[in-house]
Amino acid sequence: MNNRFSLTTAIAYVNGSPHMGHALEFIEADAIARYNRMIGKDVYFLTGTDEHGSKIVQTAEKEGIPVKELVDKNAQKFKDLMSQYRISYDQFIRTSDQKKHWPAVQKLWKKMAEKGDIYQGEYKGLYCVGCEEFKVEKDLVNGQCPNHLHRKMEVLEQKNYFFKLSKYSKQIAEILKTAEVKIVPAFRANEIIAMCESGLEDVSFSRPKEQLSWGIPVPGDDSQVMYVWCDALTNYISALDYENEGDLFKKFWPVDCHVIGKDILRFHAGVWIGMLLSAGIELPKSELVHGWIHYQGGRMSKSAGNAVDPVGLANHYGVDASRYYLLAEIPVGQDGDFSYELFENKINADLANNLGNFVNRVLSMVERYTGGLVPAKKMETPSGVDDLWQDYHQSFAEYDHQRASLAMIRLVDFGNKYIAEKMPWEMAKDEQKKDELDGVLRMMLKILLHVVFMFHPFCPDKALQIANCFGLKEIDFDKLKKLQENKLLDEIKKISKPEKLLFERVEDDRSLVDNDKKSVHLPKIPLPVSPEAQKLELPIVAFTMTDLKPIGTGVQKRLKKEWEKWVGELKNLRTGGRKNVEEIIEKAYLLNESLGVSRDETPGNALLQQFLADLNKEFPFINPLVAFYNFIEAQSGLSIGAHDISLLKGDVQLKICDGSEEYWPLGADKAKKVTAGTYAYADNEGDRVLCWLDVKQSRDSAVSNKTTDVLFILQGYEGVSLEYVQKAADELKELVEKWMG
Ligand code: MSP
């Protein structure tokens, strides 16, 4: 048997914090790694971060920090997430690693050049920074990248190097068709095969250094840096010491599996295979392609504002529960839904009820009837257990961990049914049945041990806790072998019960999820975004503050004392502030244009203009609460709204207006219709618009001197990270808390 197994995850961009999509990928890869270790393979598991390219540079500029600082900070967040989620990787490679990564990338480049596959040319095209990819006409929807509708495409004209990918089109099509590189699920290969058959285009593989200096220099031409995908894909071999073709490379290349998301399959099945063919390097054996996690009806992403923080989720519900949900509920290779309801139902049904009950019953009964001693009376393991193992192994061989989880749950069902049928509590009443009872108890322990091993790739901590009750210190191949040879239980004399329940029911307490980590003690709330509006991919943070001191109660007086300091800060902001406000307005226009609404039809910017004027005169005393958010807004260049919760009718949502919606501008004496096609925040009545872009606050939910409960919505525009919006939200919260909390 081939005893090595190597696998990789994609290396994530470090322009922000990790989200659930990343967590899904890491956990899927980790379950495969753990399974393979458990069945005795010599596993190598590689992961890391992708740290070059325009996206990273632009984010650093926006955050006003050096690029190196940004990548170090965010790479650490990925490492922290992996450690929290028990991702058992062997190496974490960073593409900014000049010692390990760069020489290998340059070596690969030279190989491709020697082969005559790198040539110099000129290129003019539309570049999407979101995808880090040039786009051609047929990729676009209304002139925009379909993945990043709100981002402006950059027109890039440059002299650079190209990779002759076109040359390999036919060969790649064949490789995918014959599954020489196996794509799982198979249907995902079809699109790439079709692309290959119609001929792949050559890829622009470098950029002039003067446009982008943060990258790996092209060998022999210091004026150019490599295209970020050329650099990133090579991590898979640079980490394995391709530079020296050392032991790791010899042993673990080609990898058995690249675990990736569906959006980057074309790079892995197209460009990467082409690069390896060109350089004469063996091809990876397979690529497991997972889908998206959906939440609130759309793809979960930070920019859509519907991302659930994986750190908060695990802090609140537990790491193993979070892992279990992602592995057992999201179908392999398909898109899957996240919702707190689905999450809680799945955890309660499978872990708390089914598995939790089984563990508890087995351990309690053994303790009650034998004082914890493992009875000696042996019986043959029912054949059903073997069948389930076969299904389990087959599932993992096909990377189908969801099906593997079902095999495990069926084994738990089997165990529960066994107990129900044998009724050990009845046997215990009859001295004559002592022997039979011993046999049943031992069988229960044995089934539980089988469950523990099957459970390990899903929930390593909980599985180990149960194993500890048997006195086992680890779950490994050696023990699994003994279990399968029916010898493991012979080595165990006594079992103990865990001190507290291993699996508790989870309750509907989700408001805490996103707050655990950030110590925002006020609930940050999810803001529903209509399907059309999701295309805007706006980074949004919504949060509420309740029980504030009403503004009338002396706050204004106290605030005046700080007036001088404030004026100073506001004056400093004036120049920057003006620029920011104008930027907000410009971005609102651009956003509307991407929705097909012309500038003339977009709402005016009266309030912001007013604010500008106020800045030039006096402290803008609309009321202090409004002043606070205007202050933050001027600082951060975001659009911020505040609503009196008592005036809202249900949830607020972000929607695209059809033109029938009405809007009551502040101070106006009659409602106005909003322009069809623009986006707005509306409450549950749907046609009652509360905040319409830069017209801002409508009178329907306006904060007043009596307001005590407020909903804040902070919204960023193109290229602003959710983290940045969150930072502004934290600042706003701090200010409001200081003065009105
Ligand atoms: N840096 C590139 C990958 C280079 S690999 C040589 C990249 N980074 S990423 O951060 O955008 O994505 C990293 C991985 O996470 C990809 O496999 C991507 O498909 C996956 N996901 C990103 N968002 C996702 C969801 N919402 N859901 C599931 N996975 C998603 O692409």
Side-chain angles (χ1 to χ4, degrees):
M1 151 169 134
N2 175 5
N3 214 36
R4 58 170 275 301
F5 187 93
S6 50
L7 78 165
T8 66
T9 67
I11 50 171
Y13 291 123
V14 284
N15 58 326
S17 310
H19 57 66
M20 283 293 261
H22 295 122
L24 172 75
E25 185 167 306
F26 303 151
I27 295 165
E28 287 194 356
D30 185 63
I32 298 173
R34 284 178 187 272
Y35 166 78
N36 278 285
R37 278 189 210 107
M38 183 174 82
I39 61 161
K41 299 242 176 168
D42 189 356
V43 171
Y44 200 84
F45 177 9
L46 172 68
T47 188
T49 40
D50 187 352
E51 305 190 355
H52 293 134
S54 316
K55 194 153 44 179
I56 310 275
V57 174
Q58 289 181 2
T59 308
E61 275 165 9
K62 239 161 228 150
E63 291 192 17
I65 54 173
V67 188
K68 178 80 175 95
E69 192 179 320
L70 176 88
V71 300
D72 285 350
K73 175 181 80 169
N74 287 335
Q76 190 55 44
K77 289 187 190 161
F78 278 87
K79 282 190 172 169
D80 291 346
L81 180 82
M82 291 199 191
S83 132
Q84 181 183 25
Y85 272 85
R86 309 287 187 268
I87 307 300
S88 57
Y89 61 82
D90 294 288
Q91 190 185 155
F92 190 102
I93 178 104
R94 298 178 56 186
T95 58
S96 61
D97 184 335
Q98 303 197 8
K99 258 204 182 130
K100 184 174 271 174
H101 180 63
W102 290 28
V105 185
Q106 287 173 327
K107 174 173 169 176
L108 183 67
W109 178 286
K110 282 190 210 147
K111 287 256 175 205
M112 295 191 296
E114 279 161 20
K115 185 77 176 282
D117 288 342
I118 299 278
Y119 63 94
Q120 262 190 312
E122 272 184 44
Y123 197 84
K124 182 172 177 189
L126 287 174
Y127 192 79
C128 171
V129 175
C131 295
E132 294 282 12
E133 191 182 17
F134 275 108
K135 300 282 171 184
V136 288
E137 204 51 52
K138 68 176 176 358
D139 299 329
L140 306 180
V141 176
N142 295 332
Q144 285 294 127
C145 165
N147 298 330
H148 299 92
L149 283 172
H150 67 293
R151 256 183 196 273
K152 228 169 115 193
M153 306 271 277
E154 292 185 2
V155 182
L156 287 187
E157 187 170 5
Q158 47 186 242
K159 232 189 174 140
N160 50 11
Y161 292 93
F162 282 79
F163 168 50
K164 260 192 213 166
L165 180 61
S166 57
K167 176 174 157 188
Y168 297 99
S169 299
K170 285 222 162 60
Q171 207 177 339
I172 297 175
E174 213 40 41
I175 285 166
L176 297 178
K177 273 200 235 164
T178 56
E180 186 184 333
V181 175
K182 187 174 170 190
I183 307 296
V184 182
F187 76 88
R188 293 245 181 251
N190 297 344
E191 196 188 334
I192 314 288
I193 294 173
M195 273 165 63
C196 291
E197 282 175 344
S198 63
L200 296 169
E201 309 231 354
D202 289 352
V203 190
S204 160
F205 241 37
S206 72
R207 266 177 89 168
K209 203 170 177 176
E210 69 215 19
Q211 278 181 15
L212 179 73
S213 61
W214 182 250
I216 306 182
V218 165
D221 185 349
D222 264 356
S223 68
Q224 297 266 325
V225 297
M226 288 185 204
Y227 172 47
V228 61
W229 272 101
C230 160
D231 151 2
L233 287 162
T234 312
N235 92 87
Y236 298 133
I237 54 175
S238 68
L240 299 179
D241 193 20
Y242 166 65
E243 187 198 358
N244 306 302
E245 301 188 25
D247 290 347
L248 275 181
F249 187 73
K250 284 194 196 112
K251 184 164 178 191
F252 291 112
W253 188 264
V255 289
D256 293 86
C257 184
H258 287 314
V259 182
I260 53 171
K262 64 181 182 181
D263 56 327
I264 58 172
L265 176 63
R266 61 189 191 286
F267 291 104
H268 284 77
V271 186
W272 181 225
I273 294 184
M275 288 165 73
L276 293 169
L277 287 172
S278 168
I281 299 174
E282 277 186 86
L283 304 180
K285 292 181 200 156
S286 71
E287 300 186 356
L288 168 62
V289 189
H290 61 78
W292 300 133
I293 302 185
H294 287 272
Y295 180 46
Q296 298 171 334
R299 170 186 161 193
M300 189 187 283
S301 79
K302 270 183 279 184
S303 47
N306 63 350
V308 174
D309 173 17
V311 174
L313 190 78
N315 281 347
H316 184 55
Y317 291 106
V319 168
D320 277 352
S322 308
R323 284 179 62 113
Y324 185 77
Y325 176 81
L326 290 172
L327 290 168
E329 185 68 24
I330 311 283
V332 179
Q334 308 278 349
D335 291 352
D337 285 321
F338 177 88
S339 85
Y340 288 99
E341 223 169 329
L342 283 173
F343 184 93
E344 286 166 0
N345 289 345
K346 182 78 181 164
I347 299 308
N348 285 338
D350 284 8
L351 299 187
N353 294 351
N354 218 343
L355 181 56
N357 268 342
F358 181 58
V359 176
N360 205 29
R361 288 166 90 193
V362 175
L363 299 179
S364 305
M365 285 190 216
V366 175
E367 193 173 71
R368 192 173 321 136
Y369 302 129
T370 72
L373 295 176
V374 177
K377 167 88 183 160
K378 289 189 182 172
M379 289 197 294
E380 208 168 300
T381 316
S383 64
V385 176
D386 270 354
D387 296 343
L388 289 172
W389 266 111
Q390 261 186 28
D391 188 20
Y392 181 88
H393 289 312
Q394 188 56 36
S395 306
F396 264 113
E398 292 167 16
Y399 306 135
D400 192 343
H401 33 76
Q402 188 183 40
R403 206 177 100 206
S405 78
L406 289 175
M408 181 198 74
I409 290 298
R410 274 164 52 214
L411 183 58
V412 175
D413 286 342
F414 181 88
N416 275 326
K417 217 165 123 217
Y418 181 81
I419 300 177
E421 276 169 17
K422 299 290 176 187
M423 297 194 281
W425 52 93
E426 290 298 330
M427 291 178 187
K429 291 178 193 159
D430 186 347
E431 249 321 291
Q432 309 263 302
K433 294 201 168 148
K434 166 95 180 56
D435 208 34
E436 203 181 331
L437 174 65
D438 277 356
V440 167
L441 292 175
R442 189 178 167 97
M443 180 58 67
M444 284 158 52
L445 287 171
K446 200 186 326 182
I447 297 173
L448 178 54
L449 271 179
H450 280 276
V451 169
V452 167
F453 282 82
M454 283 196 182
F455 192 41
H456 162 73
F458 296 89
C459 302
D461 284 358
K462 293 284 181 194
L464 189 60
Q465 278 176 39
I466 310 173
N468 289 163
C469 298
F470 287 83
L472 301 174
K473 298 271 173 293
E474 64 264 301
I475 292 171
D476 57 17
F477 173 55
D478 180 48
K479 305 229 167 28
L480 179 63
K481 207 160 144 251
K482 282 190 179 147
L483 177 72
Q484 275 163 347
E485 289 165 356
N486 244 326
K487 291 183 186 145
L488 188 60
L489 208 46
D490 294 344
E491 295 178 359
I492 301 162
K493 299 288 165 256
K494 200 162 186 286
I495 55 109
S496 55
K497 256 187 83 178
E499 268 154 33
K500 61 184 201 69
L501 265 186
L502 284 176
F503 303 98
E504 307 218 18
R505 281 185 66 80
V506 295
E507 298 303 335
D508 178 359
D509 201 5
R510 63 200 63 157
S511 61
L512 297 167
V513 168
D514 286 330
N515 303 320
D516 282 359
K517 176 183 148 221
K518 292 177 191 107
S519 72
V520 180
H521 71 271
L522 299 149
K524 185 177 133 192
I525 57 160
L527 185 90
V529 179
S530 76
E532 311 86 69
Q534 273 171 22
K535 298 197 187 100
L536 298 173
E537 296 202 19
L538 288 172
I540 304 168
V541 170
F543 68 100
T544 54
M545 294 183 90
T546 51
D547 287 336
L548 297 175
K549 288 193 196 92
I551 287 154
T553 53
V555 175
Q556 199 131 339
K557 247 200 227 148
R558 282 176 54 222
L559 189 60
K560 277 199 168 153
K561 289 197 181 150
E562 294 251 324
W563 174 226
E564 283 308 315
K565 193 178 130 220
W566 272 75
V567 168
E569 285 190 40
L570 283 170
K571 278 195 176 141
N572 286 341
L573 270 179
R574 198 177 300 159
T575 350
R578 177 186 292 278
K579 188 169 150 275
N580 279 340
V581 174
E582 278 162 5
E583 221 169 77
I584 299 175
I585 296 165
E586 180 58 24
K587 282 174 179 169
Y589 280 144
L590 285 176
L591 199 59
N592 272 301
E593 278 173 357
S594 81
L595 290 168
V597 181
S598 79
R599 271 172 197 248
D600 314 338
E601 288 170 306
T602 50
N605 47 45
L607 210 99
L608 285 177
Q609 297 294 7
Q610 177 65 44
F611 173 56
L612 265 182
D614 282 344
L615 262 185
N616 290 329
K617 286 183 272 148
E618 283 223 313
F619 184 67
F621 265 111
I622 306 165
N623 77 41
L625 193 58
V626 179
F628 296 142
Y629 71 74
N630 278 345
F631 180 76
I632 296 295
E633 179 173 80
Q635 259 184 162
S636 59
L638 302 177
S639 168
I640 304 178
H643 303 268
D644 186 324
I645 294 175
S646 67
L647 302 173
L648 297 176
K649 308 233 165 88
D651 288 343
V652 173
Q653 58 166 320
L654 173 61
K655 62 176 284 195
I656 306 280
C657 302
D658 59 22
S660 66
E661 299 85 350
E662 291 205 325
Y663 175 83
W664 281 88
L666 265 184
D669 53 7
K670 66 176 188 332
K672 278 171 56 180
K673 288 245 184 303
V674 300
T675 316
T678 50
Y679 75 90
Y681 296 95
D683 70 11
N684 250 4
E685 290 190 350
D687 52 359
R688 203 173 79 140
V689 169
L690 305 173
C691 174
W692 189 27
L693 293 168
D694 45 338
V695 177
K696 308 280 288 185
Q697 185 73 62
S698 124
R699 75 163 198 198
D700 278 336
S701 59
V703 293
S704 72
N705 283 351
K706 294 186 196 67
T707 303
T708 55
D709 299 340
V710 196
L711 163 71
F712 287 101
I713 302 173
L714 288 81
Q715 173 211 301
Y717 290 98
E718 184 196 19
V720 172
S721 70
L722 186 64
E723 204 181 16
Y724 183 82
V725 184
Q726 177 67 53
K727 207 172 117 228
D730 289 343
E731 279 171 30
L732 177 57
K733 183 184 77 73
E734 238 170 67
L735 266 181
V736 175
E737 242 173 13
K738 179 169 172 202
W739 291 103
M740 309 173 72

